[in-house]
């Protein structure tokens, strides 16, 4: 199958790459053309997934696609942005039609759910399956949620259960084609887009938890010049995770495991926050700008890192 046929057949489909008020021109030209309303700003983020580094290569193509798009959209959620569209760079060892069909179906499911069409991309042959997705979103001018605004005295919250992504990992590695139970959290970490939008004007700092709660909250600490004290008993853990791992191990997974894609944010107690916000700690003044943990949890200070 030729490159252009492949693009037409699997990526240029009405259900995947539609145009709308924001996307004036999509797949088929040298560039996509976007309309950005005058009172808004564009947020852009990119994620790359490499076979056998970020996902097992024999996983279902549908699942690989949902994960790739979900994790990238999660960065828009963290900024309080509304998705507008995405671009896809894909490198494939071979162009197998059944694989591409399933892959595009996974993209369609998430693109439809978040109203975020595919606007363009690049398709190449290479030794490994590599998927890069860039998302584009919009937010009211000067209202994007950043990591840098946490104030001493603010409370620390998360949008939902932590640890499911890390708890799913052994299942995913052992049975790459199974995507039910905990594994579903790995393959479809649904981005908290609506939750993020609700936080605009309310959260003083925000990010998505991708590399482990403690490591990610440390980014807020650094950027905001504050410390954070966690209330470990308040960290929300799913029944599924608790049932499999027990309280202690589940908490460790929540603190240091990655792949949750929940939002962690800080806010003044007076603010009216989204319904499922869960308070897990407090922003405090410290010498070291980081998360304070009881001694037995200090190994949780390091989450995921590609180069160590
Ligand atoms: P160019 O030669 O100008 O870089 P290409 O021949 O690579 O363009 O691509 C032709 C069209 O198909 C472009 O509009 C491009 O954005 C789109 N496209 C290529 N690969 C993909 C992909 N993987 N997903 C979505 N659109 C793609
Ligand atoms: Mg060109």
């Amino acid at each position: 199958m030729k490159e252009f046929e492949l693009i037409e057949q699997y990526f240029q489909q009405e259900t995947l790459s539609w145009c709308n008020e924001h996307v004036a021109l999509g797949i088929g030209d040298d560039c996509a053309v976007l309309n950005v309303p005058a009172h808004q700003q564009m947020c852009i983020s990119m994620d790359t997934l490499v076979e056998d580094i970020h996902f097992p290569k024999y996983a279902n193509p549908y699942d690989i696609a949902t994960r790739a798009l979900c994790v990238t959209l999660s960065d828009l959620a963290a900024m309080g942005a509304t998705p507008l569209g995405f671009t896809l760079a894909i490198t494939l060892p071979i162009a197998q039609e059944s694989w591409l069909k399933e892959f595009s179906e996974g993209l369609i499911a998430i693109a439809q759910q978040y109203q975020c069409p595919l606007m363009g991309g690049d398709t190449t042959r290479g030794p490994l399956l590599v998927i890069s997705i860039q998302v584009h979103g919009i937010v009211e001018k000067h209202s994007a949620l950043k990591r840098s605004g946490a104030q001493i005295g603010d409370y620390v919250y998360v949008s939902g259960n932590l640890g499911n992504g890390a708890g799913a990992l052994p299942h995913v590695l052992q049975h790459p084609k199974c995507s039910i139970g905990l594994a579903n959290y790995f393959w479809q970490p649904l981005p908290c887009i609506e939750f993020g939008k609700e936080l605009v004007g309310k959260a003083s700092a925000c990010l998505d938890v991708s590399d482990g709660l403690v490591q990610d909250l440390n980014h807020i600490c650094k950027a905001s010049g504050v410390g954070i004290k966690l209330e470990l008993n308040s960290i929300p853990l799913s029944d599924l995770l608790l049932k499999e791992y027990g309280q202690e191990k589940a908490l460790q997974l929540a603190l240091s495991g990655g792949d949750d894609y929940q939002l962690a944010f800080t806010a003044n107690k007076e603010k009216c926050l989204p319904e499922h916000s869960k308070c897990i700690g407090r922003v405090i003044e410290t010498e070291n700008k980081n998360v304070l943990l009881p001694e037995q949890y200090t190994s949780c200070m390091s989450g995921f890192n590609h180069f160590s």
Side-chain angles (χ1 to χ4, degrees):
M1 182 176 230
K2 294 217 182 69
E3 178 189 331
F4 298 110
E5 287 169 7
L6 185 161
I7 294 167
E8 255 177 46
Q9 178 108 23
Y10 298 106
F11 298 133
Q12 199 168 11
Q13 325 184 35
E14 189 46 38
T15 48
L16 179 58
S17 53
W18 66 93
C19 286
N20 58 27
E21 52 171 326
H22 297 300
V23 183
L25 185 63
I27 295 179
D29 220 304
D30 292 304
C31 285
V33 180
L34 304 183
N35 298 318
V36 183
H39 56 285
Q40 290 180 310
Q41 290 177 312
M42 190 174 292
C43 302
I44 297 176
S45 179
M46 175 173 242
D47 273 307
T48 294
L49 280 73
V50 180
E51 72 172 32
D52 289 341
I53 304 276
H54 299 98
F55 61 87
K57 79 171 154 192
Y58 295 114
N60 298 318
Y62 184 98
D63 294 331
I64 296 171
T66 57
R67 175 167 170 82
L69 188 48
C70 283
V71 303
T72 318
L73 282 167
S74 177
D75 286 320
L76 291 182
M79 302 302 285
T82 302
L84 197 154
F86 72 102
T87 51
L88 164 72
I90 186 163
T91 302
L92 295 156
I94 49 162
Q96 195 191 342
E97 296 201 36
S98 58
W99 192 97
L100 283 160
K101 180 167 183 293
E102 270 193 56
F103 181 81
S104 68
E105 284 165 0
L107 290 181
I108 290 168
I110 303 299
Q112 290 284 340
Q113 187 170 344
Y114 291 91
Q115 284 302 295
C116 183
L118 177 60
M119 309 183 294
D122 198 23
T123 305
T124 54
R125 185 198 289 271
L128 296 177
L129 171 61
V130 181
I131 298 151
S132 291
I133 290 184
Q134 184 166 44
V135 286
H136 302 67
I138 45 173
V139 68
E140 288 297 310
K141 264 190 181 162
H142 312 302
S143 63
L145 303 170
K146 295 186 287 190
R147 298 175 175 191
S148 56
Q151 303 287 324
I152 288 159
D154 280 352
Y155 287 78
V156 181
Y157 300 84
V158 287
S159 57
N161 292 329
L162 299 177
N164 286 341
L169 200 56
H171 297 279
V172 167
L173 295 176
Q174 221 178 349
H175 304 288
K177 286 194 182 296
C178 172
S179 50
I180 53 168
L182 269 183
N184 187 47
Y185 291 98
F186 182 89
W187 293 116
Q188 286 203 32
L190 296 177
C192 305
I193 294 288
E194 286 309 315
F195 199 107
K197 284 161 69 174
E198 271 191 70
L199 289 178
V200 171
K202 296 175 179 170
S204 51
C206 182
L207 48 60
D208 65 325
V209 182
S210 54
D211 297 334
L213 178 69
V214 174
Q215 178 168 307
D216 284 324
L217 284 179
N218 276 335
H219 296 315
I220 289 187
C221 292
K222 285 245 153 49
S224 302
V226 298
I228 283 176
K229 189 167 187 308
L230 287 178
E231 196 58 64
L232 297 184
N233 295 329
S234 304
I235 291 175
L237 307 167
S238 72
D239 291 341
L240 217 52
L241 191 73
L242 286 167
K243 190 160 163 254
E244 185 169 332
Y245 289 95
Q247 172 74 33
E248 193 58 20
K249 178 71 183 156
L251 180 58
Q252 270 175 28
L253 289 169
L255 291 172
S256 63
D259 292 323
D260 283 317
Y261 301 98
Q262 295 292 337
L263 300 183
F265 59 101
T266 58
N268 184 299
K269 191 110 217 195
E270 321 295 88
K271 303 278 182 188
C272 173
L273 297 173
E275 195 181 343
H276 297 293
S277 305
K278 182 84 174 70
C279 184
I280 58 161
R282 196 87 197 257
V283 178
I284 56 170
E285 194 168 359
T286 52
E287 204 168 314
N288 299 327
K289 310 302 175 202
N290 58 23
V291 175
L292 298 184
L293 282 176
E295 188 130 345
Q296 71 265 37
Y297 290 101
T298 42
S299 67
C300 300
M301 292 303 275
S302 55
F304 183 77
N305 184 326
H306 269 284
F307 296 104
S308 67

